[in-house]
Amino acid sequence: MLRVGVIGVGTVGTSVVNILKDNADIIRARAGAKIEVVSGVVHNLNKDRGVDIKLSNDPMDIINDDSIDVVVELMGGVEEPFKVVKAALEKGKAVVTANKALLAYHRYELQDIAKDIAFEYEASVAGGIPIINALREGLSANHIESIQGIMNGTCNYMMTKMMNEGVAYEDILQESQDLGYAEADPTFDVGGFDAAHKLLILASIAYGIDAKPEDILIEGIDKVTLEDISFAKEFGYTIKLLGIAKRDGDEVELRVHAALVPEDEMIAKIDGVMNAISVIGDKVGETLYYGPGAGGDATASAVVANIIDIARSGKSSPMLGFDRSLENGLKLKNRDGIVSKYYLRLQVADEAGVLAKVTSLFGDHKISIETMLQRPTGENAANLLISTHSAIEKDIQNLMVALEKLEFIASAPVMIRIV
Ligand code: HSE
C-alpha cells in the first residue's frame, strides 16, 4: 500500500481524496497497489472539508510521519512550500505538487535535492492536460522548436467574453473570479504571472533554461480595450494571452503577453476557461494539447496520475527529465531582442502634417509599416491603426516613448504583438 499525506486540503486536495476513493478499483489495477490518503493539513481545523481523513494544521505532522510515502503539496505560495517540500525530500518521501509558483522559482534547487526520489508536478501546468508528460516522455526524441499557447483559463475566459459579447474588462473580472479558476490574487492571472510560471516550467523541460519570472517579458491583458478588440475582429484576428517559448539558434525567447492571433489558427478557436498548448518538435511536427487548465477534479486528475506513477515505480526520471545539460549553450534571449510584428493604435488630432510626423518616427526607429488605416473618432480626432513588418522589441519600445511625446497624441499609444 502507498500512503499519502496531503498538505492543503482545499478544492484540489478534496478532489484528490475523492478521486482516490471513487476510482479506487481502476487506480489499484493501474498502480499495482492500493493508494490511501491517510492524513491532511489545513489552515482552519474548524472548517468541514467533507473528507474522511485525519487532519492537522502543521505540515510537519506529515513530514515527520514515517508511515507516509508520498507528500502531496497543494499549499500555494513559494517560500513556505519550498521549506516543506525540501523537508519532505530530505526525509526521503516522494513529492507531488501542483504549485507552479514554487517551481517557477525553485525547480532546479528541488531537482538537486530530489536526485532519484520521485518528484512529480503534472498539475502545475495546464491543470488536467498531461503536457509535462508529453514533453518529458512523449516528445523526448525531439528538439523542441516552439511551445505556444493559452496557459491561463481566467484570462482566456475574460478575452472570450470581451471578444464574443463585448463585455468590458472591469465587468468581467469578478465574474471570472466567481468561476473558481482565478488565483487567490487575481493580478497573477490578468498580469500574466501565472502563465509565466507555467511557461518557465515547460521551458526547463524543453530547453533546460534556468530563468526566473523577473528575467522574461511578462505583460497581461489589463490594457486590452474593447476598441482594440473590435479592430482585431474587423481585421480577422482574435486576441489571446499567450505564453511563448521559441528557439532561435542557440537562444530561446520566453514571453507572455496579449497577442493578435489570426482567427483561422487553432489557438484562436480556444474559447472560455480552456487551455491549449501547441508544441512543435523537429521530428514530430506540430502537436496540440487541449483541456481544462484548472478546477478541482481536472487538476486532481493530474495529481493522482503522478501518485499512480510513483506507486508503479517508486522512482522517477530526473525531475526535469534530463540528468545532464541539454544541448550545451542554449541561453535565454534578451527580451529587447525579441522579433515580432506589432499592431499600434494611436489616438491623434486629425490635422495636416500628423501622419507625416508619425510615419517619419517609424522610419527613424527602423520600423517598417506593413498596413495603415485612419478612422475618424469625432471632430478633429482619429485613430491611426498601424501594423508593422517584423521589428525588434527594443526599437518598438523606443518608438512608443517617442510617439507618446508628440503633442498631437491624445492618449498613450496602444501596442499589441501579432503572432
Ligand atoms: N488561475 C489559473 C487559471 C489556475 O486561471 O488558469 C490554474 O493554474
Side-chain angles (χ1 to χ4, degrees), residues 100 124 151-155 181-183 189 194 198 275 293-294:
K100 59 242 154 163
S124 66
M151 303 179 186
N152 184 275
T154 303
C155 288
Y181 272 51
E183 297 302 298
D189 296 299
D194 175 76
K198 296 165 181 166
N275 284 192

Side-chain angles (χ1 to χ4, degrees), residues 50-272:
V51 290
D52 184 20
I53 56 171
K54 189 174 73 188
L55 291 176
S56 95
N57 57 8
D58 182 359
M60 294 317 285
D61 288 343
I62 283 184
I63 307 296
N64 291 327
D65 181 342
D66 290 336
S67 74
I68 288 181
D69 308 296
V70 182
V71 173
V72 175
E73 185 275 306
L74 302 170
M75 304 164 71
V78 176
E79 295 313 324
E80 197 50 35
F82 178 59
K83 278 188 219 147
V84 168
V85 165
K86 188 165 175 269
L89 291 168
E90 283 166 354
K91 283 265 186 180
K93 296 186 193 304
V95 170
V96 175
T97 182
N99 188 337
K100 59 242 154 163
L102 166 70
L103 297 173
Y105 283 95
H106 291 300
R107 60 200 180 282
Y108 285 91
E109 288 152 277
L110 288 168
Q111 171 159 264
D112 287 347
I113 298 165
K115 296 196 178 68
D116 62 353
I117 299 169
F119 187 124
E120 301 290 344
Y121 51 100
E122 182 61 68
S124 66
V125 180
I129 306 175
I131 183 69
I132 307 275
N133 194 277
L135 273 176
R136 272 181 45 168
E137 317 290 340
L139 302 179
S140 57
N142 289 257
H143 288 108
I144 303 301
E145 291 173 1
S146 67
I147 302 170
Q148 177 168 299
I150 295 165
M151 303 179 186
N152 184 275
T154 303
C155 288
N156 205 50
Y157 178 80
M158 293 176 69
M159 294 312 304
T160 304
K161 278 277 195 180
M162 288 171 81
M163 290 290 305
N164 295 354
E165 296 172 32
V167 187
Y169 176 89
E170 306 75 47
D171 298 332
I172 203 82
L173 182 57
Q174 182 59 48
E175 193 184 313
S176 62
Q177 281 176 269
D178 295 343
L179 283 175
Y181 272 51
E183 297 302 298
D185 173 357
T187 53
F188 273 81
D189 296 299
V190 295
F193 304 103
D194 175 76
H197 294 160
K198 296 165 181 166
L199 183 71
L200 287 165
I201 295 167
L202 299 182
S204 281
I205 303 167
Y207 303 110
I209 294 286
D210 183 5
K212 300 236 173 345
E214 296 73 29
D215 303 326
I216 68 168
L217 191 161
I218 305 175
E219 290 173 10
I221 58 165
D222 36 349
K223 296 202 175 64
V224 177
T225 65
L226 285 178
E227 207 168 5
D228 296 303
I229 284 194
S230 149
F231 286 128
K233 275 163 86 164
E234 187 179 332
F235 302 132
Y237 289 91
T238 183
I239 303 182
K240 296 286 183 196
L241 183 84
L242 293 185
I244 300 173
K246 203 157 55 174
R247 182 173 177 171
D248 177 13
D250 62 359
E251 292 189 320
V252 176
E253 66 182 53
L254 298 181
R255 48 187 166 122
V256 172
H257 52 73
L260 285 155
V261 185
E263 64 192 5
D264 53 359
E265 293 270 330
M266 284 192 285
I267 290 285
K269 300 185 203 309
I270 308 300
D271 279 344

